[in-house]
mmCIF file of all heavy atoms in Angstrom:
data_model
loop_
_atom_site.group_PDB
_atom_site.id
_atom_site.type_symbol
_atom_site.label_atom_id
_atom_site.label_comp_id
_atom_site.label_asym_id
_atom_site.label_seq_id
_atom_site.Cartn_x
_atom_site.Cartn_y
_atom_site.Cartn_z
ATOM 1 N N ASN A 1 177.205 255.342 174.892
ATOM 2 C CA ASN A 1 177.576 254.151 174.246
ATOM 3 C C ASN A 1 176.521 253.027 174.486
ATOM 4 O O ASN A 1 176.098 252.850 175.682
ATOM 5 C CB ASN A 1 178.915 253.556 174.773
ATOM 6 C CG ASN A 1 180.103 254.273 174.177
ATOM 7 O OD1 ASN A 1 179.885 254.877 173.088
ATOM 8 N ND2 ASN A 1 181.124 254.259 174.821
ATOM 9 N N GLU A 2 176.070 252.400 173.495
ATOM 10 C CA GLU A 2 175.067 251.314 173.577
ATOM 11 C C GLU A 2 175.866 249.998 173.436
ATOM 12 O O GLU A 2 176.967 249.912 172.827
ATOM 13 C CB GLU A 2 174.011 251.407 172.474
ATOM 14 C CG GLU A 2 173.204 252.631 172.620
ATOM 15 C CD GLU A 2 172.245 252.683 171.453
ATOM 16 O OE1 GLU A 2 171.669 251.724 171.104
ATOM 17 O OE2 GLU A 2 172.086 253.874 170.813
ATOM 18 N N ARG A 3 175.338 248.860 174.039
ATOM 19 C CA ARG A 3 175.999 247.652 173.885
ATOM 20 C C ARG A 3 175.824 246.997 172.501
ATOM 21 O O ARG A 3 174.652 247.099 171.951
ATOM 22 C CB ARG A 3 175.504 246.737 174.994
ATOM 23 C CG ARG A 3 175.823 247.118 176.369
ATOM 24 C CD ARG A 3 175.353 246.164 177.441
ATOM 25 N NE ARG A 3 175.930 244.889 177.281
ATOM 26 C CZ ARG A 3 177.196 244.564 177.714
ATOM 27 N NH1 ARG A 3 177.922 245.398 178.289
ATOM 28 N NH2 ARG A 3 177.632 243.327 177.570
ATOM 29 N N TYR A 4 176.753 246.333 172.010
ATOM 30 C CA TYR A 4 176.574 245.485 170.920
ATOM 31 C C TYR A 4 175.989 244.106 171.373
ATOM 32 O O TYR A 4 176.647 243.447 172.132
ATOM 33 C CB TYR A 4 178.019 245.146 170.179
ATOM 34 C CG TYR A 4 178.334 246.098 169.099
ATOM 35 C CD1 TYR A 4 179.066 247.305 169.313
ATOM 36 C CD2 TYR A 4 177.973 245.878 167.783
ATOM 37 C CE1 TYR A 4 179.406 248.123 168.390
ATOM 38 C CE2 TYR A 4 178.277 246.744 166.770
ATOM 39 C CZ TYR A 4 179.026 247.932 167.057
ATOM 40 O OH TYR A 4 179.386 248.742 166.015
ATOM 41 N N GLY A 5 174.862 243.820 170.864
ATOM 42 C CA GLY A 5 174.219 242.536 171.113
ATOM 43 C C GLY A 5 174.707 241.499 170.259
ATOM 44 O O GLY A 5 175.404 241.653 169.224
ATOM 45 N N TRP A 6 174.340 240.259 170.558
ATOM 46 C CA TRP A 6 174.794 239.071 169.807
ATOM 47 C C TRP A 6 174.302 239.141 168.300
ATOM 48 O O TRP A 6 174.985 238.841 167.317
ATOM 49 C CB TRP A 6 174.298 237.797 170.463
ATOM 50 C CG TRP A 6 174.973 236.550 169.945
ATOM 51 C CD1 TRP A 6 174.421 235.639 169.048
ATOM 52 C CD2 TRP A 6 176.277 236.121 170.191
ATOM 53 N NE1 TRP A 6 175.315 234.664 168.847
ATOM 54 C CE2 TRP A 6 176.540 234.949 169.475
ATOM 55 C CE3 TRP A 6 177.364 236.685 170.869
ATOM 56 C CZ2 TRP A 6 177.743 234.250 169.445
ATOM 57 C CZ3 TRP A 6 178.594 235.951 170.940
ATOM 58 C CH2 TRP A 6 178.736 234.776 170.266
ATOM 59 N N ILE A 7 173.101 239.643 168.122
ATOM 60 C CA ILE A 7 172.541 239.766 166.766
ATOM 61 C C ILE A 7 173.310 240.763 165.903
ATOM 62 O O ILE A 7 173.712 240.545 164.864
ATOM 63 C CB ILE A 7 171.096 240.188 166.825
ATOM 64 C CG1 ILE A 7 170.227 239.021 167.384
ATOM 65 C CG2 ILE A 7 170.590 240.493 165.428
ATOM 66 C CD1 ILE A 7 168.757 239.323 167.626
ATOM 67 N N GLU A 8 173.723 241.875 166.543
ATOM 68 C CA GLU A 8 174.524 242.874 165.852
ATOM 69 C C GLU A 8 175.970 242.354 165.575
ATOM 70 O O GLU A 8 176.498 242.546 164.493
ATOM 71 C CB GLU A 8 174.634 244.169 166.685
ATOM 72 C CG GLU A 8 173.380 244.865 166.765
ATOM 73 C CD GLU A 8 173.346 246.060 167.773
ATOM 74 O OE1 GLU A 8 173.760 245.729 168.971
ATOM 75 O OE2 GLU A 8 173.190 247.150 167.472
ATOM 76 N N LEU A 9 176.519 241.601 166.451
ATOM 77 C CA LEU A 9 177.761 240.988 166.280
ATOM 78 C C LEU A 9 177.760 239.933 165.132
ATOM 79 O O LEU A 9 178.676 239.831 164.240
ATOM 80 C CB LEU A 9 178.288 240.282 167.510
ATOM 81 C CG LEU A 9 178.764 241.247 168.619
ATOM 82 C CD1 LEU A 9 179.071 240.519 169.935
ATOM 83 C CD2 LEU A 9 179.976 242.115 168.188
ATOM 84 N N ARG A 10 176.660 239.233 165.099
ATOM 85 C CA ARG A 10 176.457 238.192 164.020
ATOM 86 C C ARG A 10 176.413 238.973 162.586
ATOM 87 O O ARG A 10 177.047 238.476 161.700
ATOM 88 C CB ARG A 10 175.229 237.395 164.150
ATOM 89 C CG ARG A 10 175.389 236.273 165.160
ATOM 90 C CD ARG A 10 174.098 235.443 165.319
ATOM 91 N NE ARG A 10 173.590 235.067 163.979
ATOM 92 C CZ ARG A 10 173.631 233.817 163.560
ATOM 93 N NH1 ARG A 10 174.224 232.907 164.157
ATOM 94 N NH2 ARG A 10 173.094 233.585 162.372
ATOM 95 N N LYS A 11 175.623 240.058 162.567
ATOM 96 C CA LYS A 11 175.573 240.818 161.282
ATOM 97 C C LYS A 11 176.963 241.303 160.900
ATOM 98 O O LYS A 11 177.381 241.288 159.743
ATOM 99 C CB LYS A 11 174.596 241.953 161.452
ATOM 100 C CG LYS A 11 173.167 241.600 161.473
ATOM 101 C CD LYS A 11 172.325 242.772 161.691
ATOM 102 C CE LYS A 11 170.830 242.328 161.818
ATOM 103 N NZ LYS A 11 170.005 243.497 162.163
ATOM 104 N N LYS A 12 177.666 241.790 161.892
ATOM 105 C CA LYS A 12 179.045 242.304 161.652
ATOM 106 C C LYS A 12 180.007 241.269 161.140
ATOM 107 O O LYS A 12 180.775 241.478 160.148
ATOM 108 C CB LYS A 12 179.556 243.041 162.920
ATOM 109 C CG LYS A 12 180.850 243.716 162.686
ATOM 110 C CD LYS A 12 181.203 244.611 163.874
ATOM 111 C CE LYS A 12 182.429 245.433 163.621
ATOM 112 N NZ LYS A 12 182.414 246.415 162.667
ATOM 113 N N ILE A 13 179.982 240.060 161.788
ATOM 114 C CA ILE A 13 180.908 239.043 161.372
ATOM 115 C C ILE A 13 180.470 238.541 159.934
ATOM 116 O O ILE A 13 181.412 238.234 159.072
ATOM 117 C CB ILE A 13 180.951 237.803 162.369
ATOM 118 C CG1 ILE A 13 182.087 236.931 162.119
ATOM 119 C CG2 ILE A 13 179.700 236.973 162.325
ATOM 120 C CD1 ILE A 13 183.505 237.526 162.378
ATOM 121 N N PHE A 14 179.177 238.468 159.624
ATOM 122 C CA PHE A 14 178.810 238.116 158.269
ATOM 123 C C PHE A 14 179.214 239.045 157.207
ATOM 124 O O PHE A 14 179.704 238.704 156.198
ATOM 125 C CB PHE A 14 177.283 237.909 158.201
ATOM 126 C CG PHE A 14 176.684 236.633 158.819
ATOM 127 C CD1 PHE A 14 175.465 236.678 159.383
ATOM 128 C CD2 PHE A 14 177.362 235.431 158.859
ATOM 129 C CE1 PHE A 14 174.890 235.548 159.995
ATOM 130 C CE2 PHE A 14 176.854 234.348 159.473
ATOM 131 C CZ PHE A 14 175.595 234.350 160.035
ATOM 132 N N ALA A 15 179.139 240.317 157.596
ATOM 133 C CA ALA A 15 179.563 241.414 156.646
ATOM 134 C C ALA A 15 181.116 241.191 156.491
ATOM 135 O O ALA A 15 181.611 241.394 155.220
ATOM 136 C CB ALA A 15 179.293 242.793 157.246
ATOM 137 N N VAL A 16 181.863 241.123 157.450
ATOM 138 C CA VAL A 16 183.348 241.029 157.293
ATOM 139 C C VAL A 16 183.722 239.846 156.449
ATOM 140 O O VAL A 16 184.530 239.916 155.476
ATOM 141 C CB VAL A 16 184.008 240.898 158.674
ATOM 142 C CG1 VAL A 16 185.425 240.348 158.575
ATOM 143 C CG2 VAL A 16 183.946 242.250 159.439
ATOM 144 N N ILE A 17 183.128 238.689 156.717
ATOM 145 C CA ILE A 17 183.391 237.455 155.961
ATOM 146 C C ILE A 17 183.033 237.649 154.522
ATOM 147 O O ILE A 17 183.774 237.386 153.547
ATOM 148 C CB ILE A 17 182.697 236.229 156.555
ATOM 149 C CG1 ILE A 17 183.231 235.908 157.889
ATOM 150 C CG2 ILE A 17 182.804 235.052 155.612
ATOM 151 C CD1 ILE A 17 182.464 234.894 158.720
ATOM 152 N N ALA A 18 181.873 238.169 154.187
ATOM 153 C CA ALA A 18 181.398 238.454 152.855
ATOM 154 C C ALA A 18 182.327 239.407 152.093
ATOM 155 O O ALA A 18 182.638 239.164 150.952
ATOM 156 C CB ALA A 18 179.980 239.006 152.785
ATOM 157 N N GLU A 19 182.626 240.433 152.773
ATOM 158 C CA GLU A 19 183.634 241.447 152.167
ATOM 159 C C GLU A 19 184.877 240.844 151.785
ATOM 160 O O GLU A 19 185.433 241.070 150.656
ATOM 161 C CB GLU A 19 183.785 242.672 153.068
ATOM 162 C CG GLU A 19 182.571 243.536 153.249
ATOM 163 C CD GLU A 19 182.722 244.517 154.350
ATOM 164 O OE1 GLU A 19 183.795 244.696 154.939
ATOM 165 O OE2 GLU A 19 181.640 245.121 154.767
ATOM 166 N N GLU A 20 185.455 240.032 152.723
ATOM 167 C CA GLU A 20 186.831 239.499 152.351
ATOM 168 C C GLU A 20 186.749 238.482 151.285
ATOM 169 O O GLU A 20 187.649 238.392 150.488
ATOM 170 C CB GLU A 20 187.431 238.993 153.757
ATOM 171 C CG GLU A 20 187.755 240.022 154.748
ATOM 172 C CD GLU A 20 188.646 241.176 154.240
ATOM 173 O OE1 GLU A 20 189.460 240.916 153.263
ATOM 174 O OE2 GLU A 20 188.540 242.245 154.727
ATOM 175 N N PHE A 21 185.701 237.598 151.259
ATOM 176 C CA PHE A 21 185.601 236.689 150.183
ATOM 177 C C PHE A 21 185.383 237.364 148.827
ATOM 178 O O PHE A 21 185.963 237.012 147.843
ATOM 179 C CB PHE A 21 184.520 235.600 150.548
ATOM 180 C CG PHE A 21 185.022 234.395 151.249
ATOM 181 C CD1 PHE A 21 184.933 234.421 152.659
ATOM 182 C CD2 PHE A 21 185.627 233.351 150.642
ATOM 183 C CE1 PHE A 21 185.332 233.286 153.373
ATOM 184 C CE2 PHE A 21 186.064 232.219 151.361
ATOM 185 C CZ PHE A 21 185.986 232.199 152.704
ATOM 186 N N ALA A 22 184.546 238.382 148.884
ATOM 187 C CA ALA A 22 184.269 239.070 147.610
ATOM 188 C C ALA A 22 185.484 239.874 147.096
ATOM 189 O O ALA A 22 185.710 239.884 145.896
ATOM 190 C CB ALA A 22 183.142 240.089 147.855
ATOM 191 N N LEU A 23 186.323 240.401 147.992
ATOM 192 C CA LEU A 23 187.570 241.075 147.591
ATOM 193 C C LEU A 23 188.508 240.160 146.845
ATOM 194 O O LEU A 23 189.305 240.704 146.033
ATOM 195 C CB LEU A 23 188.232 241.762 148.765
ATOM 196 C CG LEU A 23 187.601 243.034 149.316
ATOM 197 C CD1 LEU A 23 188.187 243.485 150.602
ATOM 198 C CD2 LEU A 23 187.702 244.113 148.208
ATOM 199 N N ARG A 24 188.659 238.911 147.253
ATOM 200 C CA ARG A 24 189.643 238.093 146.826
ATOM 201 C C ARG A 24 189.221 236.854 145.954
ATOM 202 O O ARG A 24 189.949 235.939 145.745
ATOM 203 C CB ARG A 24 190.455 237.571 148.036
ATOM 204 C CG ARG A 24 191.187 238.685 148.708
ATOM 205 C CD ARG A 24 191.811 238.153 149.997
ATOM 206 N NE ARG A 24 192.599 239.169 150.658
ATOM 207 C CZ ARG A 24 192.055 240.179 151.387
ATOM 208 N NH1 ARG A 24 190.819 240.280 151.605
ATOM 209 N NH2 ARG A 24 192.825 241.072 151.990
ATOM 210 N N SER A 25 187.988 236.889 145.480
ATOM 211 C CA SER A 25 187.476 235.776 144.780
ATOM 212 C C SER A 25 186.596 236.308 143.582
ATOM 213 O O SER A 25 186.397 237.406 143.407
ATOM 214 C CB SER A 25 186.714 234.762 145.709
ATOM 215 O OG SER A 25 185.509 235.332 146.061
ATOM 216 N N SER A 26 185.986 235.311 142.926
ATOM 217 C CA SER A 26 185.182 235.633 141.785
ATOM 218 C C SER A 26 183.653 235.691 142.201
ATOM 219 O O SER A 26 182.851 235.646 141.294
ATOM 220 C CB SER A 26 185.325 234.548 140.747
ATOM 221 O OG SER A 26 184.926 233.270 141.228
ATOM 222 N N ILE A 27 183.355 235.849 143.467
ATOM 223 C CA ILE A 27 181.944 235.953 143.922
ATOM 224 C C ILE A 27 181.699 237.442 144.440
ATOM 225 O O ILE A 27 182.578 237.911 145.214
ATOM 226 C CB ILE A 27 181.591 234.924 144.955
ATOM 227 C CG1 ILE A 27 180.059 234.962 145.259
ATOM 228 C CG2 ILE A 27 182.406 235.163 146.237
ATOM 229 C CD1 ILE A 27 179.553 233.742 146.125
ATOM 230 N N GLY A 28 180.583 238.042 144.053
ATOM 231 C CA GLY A 28 180.243 239.293 144.459
ATOM 232 C C GLY A 28 179.686 239.238 145.876
ATOM 233 O O GLY A 28 179.104 238.224 146.323
#
């Protein structure tokens, strides 16, 4: 197991936010 660094966590949170907004709105 490798550690999740802050940069990886930022990428992950951006991906989650983008996916959820895209799923429920008119923006891709």
